[in-house]
Amino acid sequence: MKKVGVAILGLGVVGGGTYKMLTEHRELYQKTQGIDLVVENVLERNRERALSLGVPENKIAANIAEICSNPDVDIVVEVMGGVEPAKSFVLSALNAGKSVVTSNKELFCKYSHELEKAARKNNCGLFYEATCVGGVPVIRALLDNLQGNNVLSIMGIINGTTNYILTKMTDDGASYAEVLKEAQRLGYAEANPTADVEGYDATYKLSILSSLAFHTKIPYTKIHREGITQITPADIQYGKQLGYVLKLLAIGKNSEDGIEVRVHPTYIKNTHPLASVKDSYNAVYITGDCVEDVMLYGRGAGAMPTASAVVGDIIYCATHPSFRYSTFKNTEEADPATKFVDNFKSAYYIRLDAHDKAGVLAKVSSIFSRHNISVAQMIQEDEGETEGHVPLVFITHQTKEKSVMKAVDDINATSDIAEVVSVIRVVS
Ligand code: HSE
């Protein structure tokens, strides 16, 4: 039986899960895949952690050089996270002729051009299913199963932390700060939650997914990004009244106008399949010109779901005789020929704190009309939080982003009429 040696860099949550899966399922893979996957080395600073997982002492490497020079190691699994030293370690492994499997979205998003160059040069495989949406096999779906399609759009709930927070805010009516604290106590959110709640994590993943979907490099810097820190229970409740659920959505679209890529809080109709994706679950909704709509749903994080993606890549790498690379020019920057749409079209939720006096609604309507904004739904409450003020909530028809921003400026300039409290995009 073919023996395939694996080295794991980092025995944190995902590394620990990967070690467990490889060792506990070793016989399964012998039977089903005809290969013997053996963990030859681990690289872990915390020896106690490695020993407690059952790693034999002689398999704990002293440094990356020891792994790179070990002829029994065929595949190096990088599950350390962060850019350095992960990047140097991955490049060393590739330059030593080892194929690499990584779960590191930040590294892959920012440096896949360098990593892929080294992989091609050394005729090695470079696999990254676990970088996006944990155990949900979306990368392979885009790379293989959906290749025959022209992918028109990709829309996803691809960050579990923010989905957990927004679900709790929706179900319990709690504030963002309260739910974040609870999520940190339960270990769902990091002590420093910035990468998740400000949308960076989702942006890295969308950069990887949309590059694959649209066959052109989409650097994360091209993605419009907004997080969830400004979301209030009031907005969530008004959305509910109007039949919407609020999610942090990652959206990529490819049309004749160009490519638009954005991550921001978004209302979706409560009947949309993504509306039922709750708590820390993730889902990606892909529309192809032939397949039409496909939704992949599951655990986007966690030790064993992410290990499932890592081990799937290890098996794929071990059982395929040759490797494939990007279908597009994998450069650091976007291809100058790729057109990006900044002034995209969307429906909008606009909440105003309006003065409760005659003519206010007419003045707001006239500003909307000036910017060619048509209202689809509206709520006017009897009373607001401040005396003499009332909340006015609008959902617009499809409108250009820049028109809405100009209307917001115009409304705010007329402070005796109303102030804009929130603007949230809507997928109708
Ligand atoms: N922090 C991520 C999330 C998990 O909350 O979805 C790993 O990508």
Side-chain angles (χ1 to χ4, degrees):
M1 187 175 310
K2 181 179 164 192
K3 186 171 156 274
V4 178
V6 176
I8 304 175
L9 312 184
L11 287 179
V13 174
V14 179
T18 302
Y19 183 78
K20 184 173 151 71
M21 203 167 159
L22 285 175
T23 47
E24 290 184 358
H25 285 181
R26 184 170 167 185
E27 276 180 33
L28 174 73
Y29 306 142
Q30 290 173 350
K31 259 194 234 150
T32 58
Q33 309 296 322
I35 49 173
D36 188 18
L37 289 177
V38 185
V39 179
E40 290 290 350
N41 277 141
V42 301
L43 189 64
E44 170 57 49
R45 266 183 309 192
N46 183 345
R47 278 183 93 76
E48 291 311 311
R49 162 85 179 151
L51 295 172
S52 73
L53 286 167
V55 180
E57 188 131 29
N58 65 345
K59 302 266 180 186
I60 305 175
N63 49 46
I64 186 69
E66 190 181 325
I67 291 175
C68 291
S69 60
N70 182 347
D72 293 331
V73 171
D74 303 292
I75 301 171
V76 171
V77 176
E78 186 275 306
V79 278
M80 306 166 67
V83 171
E84 282 297 352
K87 182 178 168 221
S88 307
F89 289 1
V90 166
L91 287 173
S92 302
L94 292 168
N95 288 326
K98 319 285 187 197
S99 287
V100 166
V101 171
T102 180
S103 66
N104 191 333
K105 61 197 160 267
E106 186 181 359
L107 172 66
F108 195 81
C109 164
K110 292 181 178 170
Y111 295 101
S112 72
H113 56 287
E114 278 188 45
L115 307 186
E116 195 176 271
K117 197 170 159 200
R120 279 177 191 270
K121 191 177 108 201
N122 295 292
N123 200 22
C124 296
L126 178 61
F127 297 87
Y128 50 96
E129 180 68 63
T131 58
C132 294
V133 209
V136 182
V138 59
I139 302 261
R140 183 85 61 232
L142 287 168
L143 276 173
D144 289 336
N145 315 88
L146 298 173
Q147 270 300 302
N149 284 264
N150 197 4
V151 176
L152 306 173
S153 73
I154 176 159
M155 209 160 57
I157 296 169
I158 58 178
N159 181 269
T161 307
T162 47
N163 203 38
Y164 175 85
I165 293 173
L166 292 175
T167 303
K168 289 287 166 235
M169 287 177 74
T170 304
D171 292 351
D172 306 343
S175 72
Y176 166 77
E178 283 168 332
V179 181
L180 173 64
K181 228 184 200 172
E182 178 69 359
Q184 285 171 320
R185 197 182 63 75
L186 294 170
Y188 288 121
E190 307 267 350
N192 177 355
T194 308
D196 291 316
V197 299
E198 295 292 3
Y200 290 100
D201 175 84
T203 303
Y204 297 152
K205 292 170 186 166
L206 181 61
S207 155
I208 298 170
L209 295 176
S210 54
S211 298
L212 289 177
F214 306 142
H215 302 280
T216 190
K217 183 64 175 264
I218 316 276
Y220 75 102
T221 46
K222 289 280 184 194
I223 299 176
H224 174 101
R225 176 190 55 77
E226 289 171 31
I228 64 161
T229 56
Q230 303 305 316
I231 297 299
T232 64
D235 287 321
I236 290 183
Q237 291 314 316
Y238 287 127
K240 252 190 196 176
Q241 279 185 50
L242 293 160
Y244 293 96
V245 179
L246 190 67
K247 299 286 182 191
L248 182 74
L249 277 200
I251 300 172
K253 289 187 187 173
N254 188 14
S255 69
E256 280 176 3
D257 297 336
I259 287 177
E260 64 181 75
V261 269
R262 40 198 172 100
V263 168
H264 50 63
T266 313
Y267 287 110
I268 44 176
K269 269 275 174 219
N270 54 20
T271 47
H272 192 286
L274 285 172
S276 58
V277 178
K278 291 190 161 198
D279 299 317
S280 60
Y281 278 90
N282 283 198
V284 185
Y285 192 89
I286 301 169
T287 305
D289 60 346
C290 298
V291 70
E292 299 183 8
D293 299 332
V294 172
M295 185 161 110
L296 298 164
Y297 167 89
R299 286 263 175 228
M304 300 318 290
T306 312
S308 161
V310 169
V311 175
D313 273 353
I314 294 172
I315 291 172
Y316 193 97
C317 178
T319 53
H320 283 73
S322 61
F323 306 117
R324 286 184 307 163
Y325 307 102
S326 299
T327 55
F328 51 89
K329 237 195 273 166
N330 193 354
T331 43
E332 183 174 10
E333 303 295 339
D335 184 334
T338 303
K339 198 169 140 209
F340 288 90
V341 179
D342 294 329
N343 193 15
F344 50 82
K345 262 183 145 180
S346 174
Y348 288 78
Y349 160 104
I350 302 171
R351 174 155 71 100
L352 309 183
D353 180 36
H355 290 243
D356 194 9
K357 61 181 186 188
V360 164
L361 195 51
K363 283 183 184 157
V364 170
S365 298
S366 119
I367 292 175
F368 282 165
S369 158
R370 198 186 312 148
H371 295 287
N372 206 19
I373 296 170
S374 160
V375 172
Q377 282 172 283
M378 187 195 144
I379 301 176
Q380 174 170 359
E381 296 281 4
D382 286 346
E383 280 175 33
E385 282 169 18
T386 326
E387 218 186 305
H389 288 238
V390 285
L392 277 181
V393 177
F394 301 92
I395 302 272
T396 73
H397 284 295
Q398 291 282 313
T399 303
K400 288 266 176 95
E401 168 89 2
K402 285 186 181 157
S403 304
V404 170
M405 295 310 152
K406 279 186 200 149
V408 166
D409 286 346
D410 286 359
I411 293 169
N412 284 337
T414 55
S415 54
D416 60 324
I417 298 178
E419 256 182 67
V420 178
V421 183
S422 351
V423 178
I424 298 174
R425 296 167 194 88
V426 178
V427 169
S428 39

